[in-house]
């Protein structure tokens, strides 16, 4: 079943989202694959692995990746509280207040991007699996 959509309008929306998120400060280390499977805890020490793809980017991207990873199934209220805790930690580390409204809005934009990435990955898996059924 084909779902109708306006391709040009969708591309315009993606362009607007991209432009909006490019306004986020991109001078911080961005892990890019920040998921629970890339965090090791050994003898109460935290270690991060698989960060070779890291680059400068927005602070919101990694927290969106962690809290919205597909298989984690984290409760919405916990994700919300953790995102606010993250903002508190950012302010403490940077030793300055952040403008929380734009920071949170950009975080939501990165959540949207992460969800679209997950949908794309799972759609590919579903299509490959479906080939074996039919």
């Amino acid at each position: 079943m084909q779902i109708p959509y306006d391709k040009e309008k969708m591309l315009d929306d993606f362009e607007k989202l991209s432009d909006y998120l490019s306004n986020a400060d991109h001078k911080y280390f961005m892990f890019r694959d920040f998921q629970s499977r890339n965090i090791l805890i050994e003898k109460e020490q935290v270690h991060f692995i698989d960060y070779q793809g890291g680059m400068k980017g927005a602070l919101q991207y990694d927290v969106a990746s962690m809290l919205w990873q597909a298989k984690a199934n984290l409760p919405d209220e916990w994700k919300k509280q953790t995102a606010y805790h993250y903002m508190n930690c950012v302010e403490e580390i940077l030793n300055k207040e952040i403008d929380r409204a734009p920071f949170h809005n950009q975080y939501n934009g990165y959540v949207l991007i992460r969800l679209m990435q997950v949908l794309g990955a799972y759609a590919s898996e579903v299509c490959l699996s479906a080939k074996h059924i039919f």
Side-chain angles (χ1 to χ4, degrees), residues 47-127:
H47 305 276
F48 302 101
I49 62 169
D50 197 17
Y51 54 85
Q52 67 274 9
M55 58 188 287
K56 286 187 177 185
L59 289 168
Q60 298 92 332
Y61 186 88
D62 282 338
V63 71
S65 295
M66 175 62 79
L67 296 179
W68 292 89
Q69 49 188 307
K71 296 181 181 179
N73 200 25
L74 301 171
D76 288 339
E77 186 58 33
W78 189 85
K79 288 188 277 196
K80 181 179 176 182
Q81 290 173 358
T82 303
Y84 281 109
H85 177 71
Y86 178 79
M87 286 188 266
N88 291 336
C89 291
V90 165
E91 288 180 334
E92 186 176 322
I93 291 167
L94 297 179
N95 198 28
K96 67 177 185 176
E97 286 186 22
I98 58 174
D99 193 346
R100 287 182 176 239
F103 189 96
H104 191 263
N105 288 337
Q106 289 165 339
Y107 162 78
N108 285 332
Y110 284 108
V111 167
L112 178 59
I113 285 176
R114 291 296 294 165
L115 292 175
M116 287 189 294
Q117 289 171 333
V118 168
L119 287 172
Y122 282 106
S124 296
E125 285 182 30
V126 169
C127 289

Side-chain angles (χ1 to χ4, degrees), residues 34-51:
F34 201 56
Q35 300 178 46
S36 57
R37 68 176 182 223
N38 292 329
I39 301 172
L40 301 175
I41 300 175
E42 179 183 39
K43 297 179 185 173
E44 298 185 31
Q45 294 282 329
V46 178
H47 305 276
F48 302 101
I49 62 169
D50 197 17
Y51 54 85

